[in-house]
């Protein structure tokens, strides 16, 4: 089930490149460690933390959810930008039909394969153009780019568009994820490319 694409607001800017970024037509592959394997029979997406009731989606259940399309730009903290990406997948807002966050929930921690995590305010996570992507430009995501499920949050640096998503944890207070931790680079807690929020202030 698809619909006309949601246009990410940043694609309407007169100046499409944030400060310090360079345009690329390729899609660089950047991650630490190996690309995880995928077994549709055992894969699941677990929603937990500050929610009224936890929820687990099998891969088949995920594929059965309503689809949305988003046209958005991608800006990597390593200074490349790839414009006009057409994503299709499940809107993050779709989760609100299946789980009820507690009033105390203000942030999420996105949990991924190999222990990678990243944190997001609920306002960014549930933005209209945020989705769990299954395809990119009409093609199934490649494993190196996050297959089977990649979070896409176009308005933030691309490390927030986490690959290989397996869980969403609702939290009351913000806390750094993997790359935001001092031991792994100290990336910014939010990561707005237009404000050049690349690293956490010390």
């Amino acid at each position: 089930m698809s619909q006309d694409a949601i246009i990410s607001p940043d694609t309407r800017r007169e100046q499409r490149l944030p400060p310090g970024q360079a345009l690329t037509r390729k899609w660089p592959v950047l991650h630490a460690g190996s690309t995880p394997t995928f077994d549709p029979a055992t894969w699941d997406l677990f929603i937990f933390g500050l929610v009224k009731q936890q929820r687990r989606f099998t891969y088949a259940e995920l594929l059965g959810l309503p689809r949305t399309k988003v046209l958005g730009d991608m800006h990597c903290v390593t200074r490349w930008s790839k414009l006009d990406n057409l994503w299709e997948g499940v809107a993050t807002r779709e989760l609100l039909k299946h789980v009820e966050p507690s009033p105390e929930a203000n942030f999420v921690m996105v949990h991924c394969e190999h222990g990678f995590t990243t944190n997001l305010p609920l306002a960014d996570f549930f933005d209209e153009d945020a989705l769990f992507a299954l395809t990119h430009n009409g093609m199934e995501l490649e494993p190196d780019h996050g297959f089977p499920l990649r979070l896409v949050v176009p308005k933030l640096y691309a490390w927030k568009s986490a690959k290989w998503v397996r869980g969403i944890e609702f939290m009351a207070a913000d806390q750094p994820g993997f790359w935001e931790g001092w031991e792994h680079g100290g990336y910014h807690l939010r990561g707005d490319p237009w404000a050049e929020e690349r690293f956490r202030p010390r």
Side-chain angles (χ1 to χ4, degrees):
M1 179 177 182
S2 62
Q3 61 188 51
D4 292 338
I6 294 167
I7 308 299
S8 184
D10 283 346
T11 66
R12 302 186 188 277
R13 291 175 180 259
E14 184 177 347
Q15 169 55 257
R16 298 277 292 276
L17 287 181
Q21 296 294 111
L23 185 64
T24 181
R25 296 190 182 279
K26 297 179 180 180
W27 192 4
V29 173
L30 296 172
H31 57 252
S34 61
T35 300
T37 58
F38 168 65
D39 181 352
T42 59
W43 185 96
D44 59 7
L45 177 67
F46 186 40
I47 315 300
F48 66 106
L50 295 179
V51 292
K52 187 172 182 180
Q53 187 170 0
Q54 297 178 350
R55 178 65 194 267
R56 192 181 300 272
F57 294 90
T58 66
Y59 187 58
E61 289 171 335
L62 178 77
L63 293 181
L65 294 176
R67 301 283 186 93
T68 190
K69 294 179 181 179
V70 171
L71 181 70
D73 297 338
M74 174 175 271
H75 308 296
C76 183
V77 71
T78 60
R79 300 186 180 274
W80 58 261
S81 291
K82 181 174 174 59
L83 306 184
D84 296 321
N85 302 276
L86 182 61
W87 308 95
E88 183 172 349
V90 178
T92 55
R93 291 182 178 186
E94 175 68 21
L95 291 185
L96 296 174
K97 300 177 183 178
H98 305 273
V99 297
E100 182 181 345
S102 302
E104 298 81 17
N106 296 302
F107 298 87
V108 295
M109 184 69 77
V110 182
H111 293 262
C112 306
E113 299 282 7
H114 297 337
F116 293 111
T117 56
T118 194
N119 57 302
L120 289 155
L122 284 193
D124 291 333
F125 179 73
F126 284 129
D127 213 346
E128 182 185 31
D129 60 352
L131 81 164
F132 295 106
L134 298 163
T135 73
H136 175 262
N137 290 345
M139 302 290 290
E140 186 177 80
L141 280 175
E142 296 178 8
D144 280 346
H145 288 303
F147 175 83
L149 194 68
R150 178 176 192 148
L151 177 66
V152 173
V153 185
K155 71 180 187 182
L156 300 180
Y157 278 124
W159 89 82
K160 294 294 186 179
S161 294
K163 302 179 183 182
W164 312 310
V165 176
R166 291 296 304 273
I168 304 296
E169 177 185 4
F170 285 81
M171 310 183 299
D174 199 10
Q175 57 181 296
F178 182 88
W179 295 112
E180 295 85 3
W182 294 121
E183 65 274 27
H184 298 118
Y187 285 8
H188 200 277
L189 289 179
R190 181 157 184 262
D192 180 353
W194 299 96
E196 284 204 270
E197 292 178 341
R198 300 179 191 275
F199 300 100
R200 293 168 63 187
R202 288 185 178 269

